[in-house]
Amino acid sequence: MTDTVNNSTSYLWYDYETFGTEARKDRPVQYGSFRTDTNFNIIGQSMVLYAQLADDYIPSPGSSLVTGITPMSLMDEENALAEADFAKVIRDEMGKPGTITIGYNNRNYDDEMTRFMFWRNLLPAYDTEYGEGRGRFDVFLLVIAVYAVAPQILNWPTKEDGTVCFKLDRLTPANNLPHRHAHDASSDAFATLQLAKLIASKNPRLWEYALSISKSDKIVELLNEKRPLLYVDRYSLHHRRGLRPVMPLFENPSVRNEWICWDLSADPNEMWAITEKDMKERSFVTREQKEQGIKPLPFVRIKTKKQPFLMKGMSVWITKNGQGLFEHPAAYYSENASKILASADRLSELLSLFMALADRKAEEHAKDIPEEALYSGGFPSNSDARKMATFRALPPEEMADAFDRLEFDREDLAELTLYFMGRNYPEYALTPETERLWRLHKYNKLVKGLGGARTFTQFYEELEEARAGADEHGLEILEDVEGYVENLRSEYEAK
């Protein structure tokens, strides 16, 4: 056992089913989880929860086709909670000391869904991810690393075009693993456990190493050594199985938790010739631009909090395992790394170009609505955080009076709190004036599309698309969803 885990560590395997795919805007409908010790033995009771759907949101009809869950079906579900209570139960579970939350593609989706749900329900968005031995781990990113460095561990299903498919519901049958109900949160969480357990049994060193570097501080330690590394790039898996020899350069001055590295496939002499014009035109190149002959700069951007898979020993690994994968022998990449180390004093010139890129005025974006402003307004002050916690702990019938006395440092928190009351406790917490503001907010979202919200018009467009490919059972599901939205729309017909 490495120092990654200790006797108090446990794994919380979890998954959501949702009413859409955009974490910032869409809502969770089902949560499933269970806990194991670090040897994958189940401990305690499994948990399945449902969230009631508030009336400031229109669901995606296509999502119900996938999960079979509709807003109407939630009304008969005994475990369906107001989202405020749903979020609190989940936070308490994830927040237990020593908990490592584990999912499949959770770094890019489920964890984001959790953060935005906590935020709009006045809960701290991040403190279940660190402190007291807590952490998070993504089996999807582990699977990608397995494909890159030890593909013999698993059987790999393929798509129609012959490329590898990394979907959980395809990997489990391909590897003879139980997965009874795909797109059911509890079943998907159990399938994730089985896949991780299989990998750990076949290559325990890889499992332990992936765990050890799943925290951003460990990744930063690796990058700070300024030595060549092998990086598994999830966006280029069909070229060299995603393996990229890279040389860490410096932290990006314009993007938090991002490091700039050099792709060692490219000659470093090209680096010193880069101009501000190149930075502007070639930092981010679209597929269409590539087809027009515009070559992207050979920088590799590594997000330290996204569980990147990095390995030392680049040269040794390529020599032993890179037959047929790499265009050059290991010595070529090592020589390019040596050139960078020999010219390290010139990196300040390159850094200044990145700083100039950061200083350039960004395009204007529409202001986030409060429920979606998790990343755009800065962290709440300690004073605001205490006020939010105190307010949230009140009985709903006391919230109306307390709301009138609230004074926040951050200006949008009053709106966030009002909408929290409207979504969860409208019959108890709203006064005639706050109810008027809540109804106006809902109208602006559902009818006018405030903040890019799904409108009634967009819903019916999506509904027609979903019907075109649905079978008889699917049409029944869509009819159920339409009935819910029709009922919701009737409240606005007089507007």
Side-chain angles (χ1 to χ4, degrees), residues 337-381:
S338 297
K339 288 180 182 179
I340 294 174
L341 288 170
S343 305
D345 57 324
R346 299 180 66 183
L347 288 178
S348 60
E349 302 170 19
L350 186 64
L351 180 59
S352 67
L353 290 178
F354 273 90
M355 293 180 71
L357 195 66
D359 291 339
R360 203 180 309 126
K361 186 177 180 181
E363 294 181 11
E364 293 294 329
H365 294 282
K367 182 181 178 182
D368 288 324
I369 60 177
E371 306 98 298
E372 299 174 13
L374 172 62
Y375 297 133
S376 59
F379 290 105
S381 66

Side-chain angles (χ1 to χ4, degrees), residues 215-438:
K215 293 188 176 181
S216 60
D217 58 344
K218 298 297 184 183
I219 291 296
V220 171
E221 285 178 18
L222 272 178
L223 294 165
N224 264 321
E225 291 180 12
K226 305 289 181 67
R227 290 292 184 267
L229 299 166
L230 265 182
Y231 167 55
V232 178
D233 185 351
R234 57 174 293 193
Y235 297 108
S236 61
L237 290 172
H238 305 307
H239 174 60
R240 287 193 314 226
R241 298 202 302 266
L243 286 163
R244 300 183 75 167
V246 300
M247 183 68 184
L249 302 178
F250 44 70
E251 290 185 79
N252 191 339
S254 63
V255 180
R256 291 183 62 190
N257 305 313
E258 180 177 275
W259 267 70
I260 302 300
C261 301
W262 184 259
D263 188 331
L264 290 172
S265 299
D267 189 334
N269 289 325
E270 181 182 341
M271 189 190 310
W272 315 126
I274 292 172
T275 65
E276 189 170 345
K277 183 174 183 289
D278 292 326
M279 292 291 291
K280 182 179 179 180
E281 297 178 354
R282 297 170 55 202
S283 286
F284 299 98
V285 178
T286 64
R287 179 182 299 178
E288 291 75 15
Q289 288 174 315
K290 289 179 183 178
E291 292 172 354
Q292 294 168 9
I294 299 175
K295 183 181 177 183
L297 294 172
F299 293 116
V300 179
R301 299 164 184 264
I302 293 180
K303 306 285 188 181
T304 59
K305 289 187 177 294
K306 289 289 188 179
Q307 198 181 313
F309 192 88
L310 295 165
M311 294 192 305
K312 296 181 181 180
M314 175 199 73
S315 183
V316 172
W317 196 94
I318 292 176
T319 299
K320 288 185 175 181
N321 304 284
Q323 299 293 330
L325 274 181
F326 291 84
E327 298 86 344
H328 306 283
Y332 171 86
Y333 305 106
S334 297
E335 182 180 347
N336 282 345
S338 297
K339 288 180 182 179
I340 294 174
L341 288 170
S343 305
D345 57 324
R346 299 180 66 183
L347 288 178
S348 60
E349 302 170 19
L350 186 64
L351 180 59
S352 67
L353 290 178
F354 273 90
M355 293 180 71
L357 195 66
D359 291 339
R360 203 180 309 126
K361 186 177 180 181
E363 294 181 11
E364 293 294 329
H365 294 282
K367 182 181 178 182
D368 288 324
I369 60 177
E371 306 98 298
E372 299 174 13
L374 172 62
Y375 297 133
S376 59
F379 290 105
S381 66
N382 290 335
S383 173
D384 283 349
R386 286 192 297 271
K387 291 173 184 175
M388 292 165 73
T390 299
F391 183 89
R392 201 189 183 294
L394 292 172
E397 57 270 18
E398 295 180 19
M399 289 181 175
D401 288 340
F403 179 76
D404 288 337
R405 299 190 299 272
L406 279 177
E407 293 184 4
F408 288 112
D409 298 328
R410 179 171 159 174
E411 61 181 19
D412 62 348
L413 292 183
E415 284 185 88
L416 181 69
T417 303
L418 188 156
Y419 303 150
F420 163 79
M421 295 189 298
R423 276 194 309 276
N424 293 287
Y425 313 114
E427 67 274 30
Y428 300 108
L430 297 181
T431 64
E433 174 58 16
T434 52
E435 183 177 13
R436 182 189 68 81
L437 294 173
W438 172 235

Side-chain angles (χ1 to χ4, degrees), residues 52-107:
Q52 295 172 357
L53 195 59
D55 61 358
D56 67 326
Y57 170 80
I58 299 172
S60 159
S63 65
S64 288
L65 276 182
V66 173
T67 65
I69 303 171
T70 72
M72 293 290 202
S73 68
L74 290 175
M75 296 177 184
D76 299 323
E77 181 55 59
E78 292 183 0
N79 289 335
L81 305 172
E83 193 184 66
D85 301 320
F86 179 83
K88 180 64 165 56
V89 174
I90 293 170
R91 181 177 179 272
D92 289 347
E93 189 68 13
M94 291 182 172
K96 292 178 180 177
T99 297
I100 309 296
T101 56
I102 305 180
Y104 198 82
N105 199 27
N106 52 299
R107 290 270 177 163

Side-chain angles (χ1 to χ4, degrees), residues 103-160:
Y104 198 82
N105 199 27
N106 52 299
R107 290 270 177 163
N108 286 309
Y109 186 68
D110 300 86
D111 290 354
E112 289 291 294
M113 186 68 67
T114 298
R115 288 173 179 172
F116 278 101
M117 177 176 65
F118 286 176
W119 168 254
R120 66 177 172 266
N121 287 283
L122 309 186
L123 293 168
Y126 301 100
D127 65 355
T128 58
E129 299 175 9
Y130 60 86
E132 298 185 292
R134 288 183 286 264
R136 56 196 180 116
F137 188 80
D138 189 343
V139 174
F140 170 65
L141 297 175
L142 170 66
V143 167
I144 285 174
V146 168
Y147 177 67
V149 303
Q152 70 280 4
I153 288 179
L154 297 176
N155 299 320
W156 301 100
T158 56
K159 305 175 188 176
E160 290 184 1

